[in-house]
Amino acid sequence: MENNIDKILSKKIFDKKNIITLLSITNDEDKKKLFDKAYNIKKKHVGNYVHLRGLLEFSNICTKNCKYCGIRSDNKKAYRYDIPDDEIKKCVLHAWENGYGSMVFQSGERKDKNFIEHLNDILIYSKKITNNEIGITLSCGEQSAETYKKWFELGAHRYLLRIETTNEDLYYKIHPKDKNHSFQERIQALKDLKNTGYQTGTGVMIGLPFQTIEDLADDLIFFKDIDIDMVGMGPYIEHKDTPLYNYKDMLMPQIERFNLTIKMIAILRIMMKDINIASSTALQAIVKNGRMQGLKAGTNVIMPNLTPTKYIENYFLYENKPCLKEYSKEYFKLLEKNIIEAGDTIQYYKWGDPIHYFKRNSI
Ligand code: SAM
Ligand code: SF4
């Protein structure tokens, strides 16, 4: 017999009430319907392929003070690093030689001249040593439109900047309210990225203190409204040396944050059929093989962490962050096996750009 979930899933467009109903599903039968629908849409519109991005957390020095993040500038316990160029080059070559189409260069947020020029150099040599073949995604926070343009000209063509939450009041509960942390400027940065020509990605954390199911529905509607190309969403995971840790008693259990994230992914895949959606590392921090459950709910991007071990332990955003040594052959083989068992295929040697980007630019 057709129930309410069948009716919602057969609709072309979900309204906020529909999204809230889907996010509230608890029974296994309805969950299966949601995930199957999302997976079939993924297969039809973007294929059951996984695009790899080699993640390099090249510096954990940050000028910001986000209240949830273990590498915020006020956390004096974090040992700070900047990976030297020769080691960055090694990682880039490793990614390229092993068929990763793209890299993600991620760091804390700095807007000083030294940082900007250093990243200029990283982009120039990364392209040069890979015959211009490696695709480059950046995740280095808010920058001026001019800086975004410079990095784009030097070969970066994707940028990830999570809005973190689209509820402005909640934004200021999880960030200091000062000139360094502005919700409006974050929105402007996303617009600047799109205007520069980047394939633009955003995302939110799920299960934050004070966050409601209505907020999460609004987040999904926001992704659609700004017509984003890529999304990376992950469960919020507490870190004891951050101010948000004081609210740990009001959090839902981690496994519920995980389950909610998987539902967010599936609903988003149905709403935005041809974008790229990543299985975030934070999924793996809660459930072994969490990223594979992401694939089954509609994700098509995985970012194996290529940061050398001696640095990875200091890019400690949250508790139990998995130190996956995915640059090692054994770990990588295991990842590949898990992806195949999940029913997907890795697309080697391809950039794996979001189809959505080309469609919206051809209009
Ligand atoms: N500094 C850049 C920025 O903030 O956009 C990029 C690096 S930042 C570490 C990347 C992402 O990590 C953030 O967008 C945030 O969503 C996520 N993150 C930070 N702390 C987290 C936590 N405690 N739990 C889950 N995700 C977290
Ligand atoms: Fe810095 Fe990004 Fe962490 Fe905020 S989330 S403190 S900007 S690294």
Side-chain angles (χ1 to χ4, degrees):
M1 202 177 71
E2 196 182 55
N3 70 11
N4 192 23
I5 300 298
D6 294 308
K7 261 198 218 133
I8 294 175
L9 289 177
S10 67
K11 289 180 73 167
K12 279 219 158 55
I13 295 175
F14 297 156
D15 60 24
K16 185 168 169 182
K17 217 167 134 233
N18 298 148
I19 297 173
I20 291 171
T21 306
L22 294 174
L23 285 173
S24 310
I25 290 177
T26 50
N27 78 71
D28 288 344
E29 196 188 325
D30 287 342
K31 272 199 248 172
K32 187 174 177 331
K33 283 181 189 164
L34 172 65
F35 300 151
D36 285 354
K37 168 113 188 172
Y39 189 75
N40 285 333
I41 286 180
K42 162 172 125 169
K43 267 212 297 207
K44 182 164 170 213
H45 292 266
V46 292
N48 53 340
Y49 301 115
V50 173
H51 307 297
L52 297 177
R53 281 82 172 92
L55 174 64
L56 182 59
E57 297 153 335
F58 68 95
S59 172
N60 69 350
I61 302 171
C62 188
T63 53
K64 278 193 153 178
N65 244 328
C66 309
K67 292 185 185 176
Y68 43 84
C69 178
I71 60 171
R72 64 199 301 271
S73 63
D74 275 2
N75 183 11
K76 303 299 175 213
K77 291 188 189 163
Y79 167 81
R80 304 288 165 172
Y81 69 79
D82 246 332
I83 303 188
D85 287 331
D86 58 330
E87 291 182 67
I88 295 181
K89 282 182 194 164
K90 249 169 108 180
C91 285
V92 173
L93 283 174
H94 173 94
W96 179 59
E97 286 162 1
N98 285 281
Y100 290 61
S102 304
M103 294 277 304
V104 178
F105 292 117
Q106 191 179 77
S107 69
E109 185 176 305
R110 284 175 56 188
K111 294 187 172 89
D112 56 285
K113 193 162 168 270
N114 281 350
F115 177 79
I116 292 167
E117 288 182 354
H118 185 213
L119 193 47
N120 290 351
D121 292 342
I122 294 176
L123 293 171
I124 292 167
Y125 66 63
S126 297
K127 284 290 180 181
K128 194 163 170 211
I129 62 179
T130 63
N131 292 336
N132 251 339
E133 283 175 12
I134 201 84
I136 297 179
T137 309
L138 296 179
S139 170
C140 305
E142 289 163 47
Q143 303 288 341
S144 68
E146 189 193 357
T147 302
Y148 285 148
K149 185 163 174 278
K150 179 77 192 162
W151 290 341
F152 188 73
E153 285 164 359
L154 291 176
H157 73 295
R158 294 189 202 111
Y159 206 104
L160 306 173
L161 185 76
R162 285 185 177 177
I163 187 70
E164 315 295 1
T165 172
T166 57
N167 176 334
E168 192 165 349
D169 290 339
L170 177 57
Y171 190 88
Y172 289 117
K173 286 193 170 94
I174 64 169
H175 296 95
K177 200 165 188 180
D178 61 21
K179 63 174 177 20
N180 254 345
H181 304 78
S182 155
F183 180 74
Q184 289 309 330
E185 279 175 25
R186 200 133 182 114
I187 302 257
Q188 185 55 47
L190 283 171
K191 289 183 184 157
D192 290 344
L193 286 164
K194 276 187 83 177
N195 290 338
T196 309
Y198 282 96
Q199 296 169 19
T200 306
T202 192
V204 292
M205 283 177 288
I206 294 158
L208 287 160
F210 311 106
Q211 192 178 43
T212 64
I213 206 99
E214 286 79 11
D215 292 333
L216 293 172
D218 286 334
D219 293 340
L220 292 174
I221 292 167
F222 170 83
F223 301 149
K224 180 123 180 125
D225 285 349
I226 62 162
D227 203 17
I228 207 73
D229 303 308
M230 314 176 299
V231 173
M233 300 180 280
Y236 161 68
I237 304 178
E238 55 276 32
H239 184 302
K240 63 177 175 4
D241 300 319
T242 60
L244 224 55
Y245 196 70
N246 292 335
Y247 301 98
K248 66 177 188 323
D249 293 340
M250 64 188 283
L251 297 174
M252 63 179 93
Q254 286 197 354
I255 188 67
E256 280 180 32
R257 284 175 250 166
F258 174 91
N259 289 333
L260 203 46
T261 305
I262 299 289
K263 283 187 264 182
M264 287 282 283
I265 289 168
I267 299 166
L268 180 65
R269 173 56 74 200
I270 300 171
M271 291 171 68
M272 299 190 78
K273 300 180 173 29
D274 55 3
I275 63 169
N276 277 359
I277 308 179
S279 265
S280 67
T281 312
L283 285 173
Q284 198 86 6
I286 298 181
V287 171
K288 195 168 165 270
N289 267 340
R291 289 178 302 179
M292 303 306 128
Q293 289 200 38
L295 291 178
K296 289 183 178 157
T299 66
N300 64 334
V301 169
I302 288 193
M303 307 197 286
N305 199 329
L306 301 184
T307 310
T309 318
K310 63 179 168 190
Y311 303 108
I312 220 171
E313 284 149 12
N314 296 304
Y315 203 88
F316 194 50
L317 307 179
Y318 46 77
E319 286 178 357
N320 299 325
K321 183 173 170 232
C323 291
L324 302 163
K325 300 178 182 71
E326 281 166 334
Y327 46 81
S328 93
K329 278 213 160 54
E330 295 89 308
Y331 272 74
F332 189 76
K333 279 271 157 243
L334 187 63
L335 175 69
E336 191 181 40
K337 182 171 163 275
N338 289 336
I339 289 173
I340 293 166
E341 277 172 13
D344 289 358
T345 315
I346 297 179
Q347 271 217 318
Y348 289 104
Y349 299 101
K350 293 232 166 99
W351 278 9
D353 292 327
I355 293 170
H356 187 77
Y357 173 82
F358 299 101
K359 283 202 187 147
R360 78 171 165 83
N361 277 288
S362 68
I363 293 166

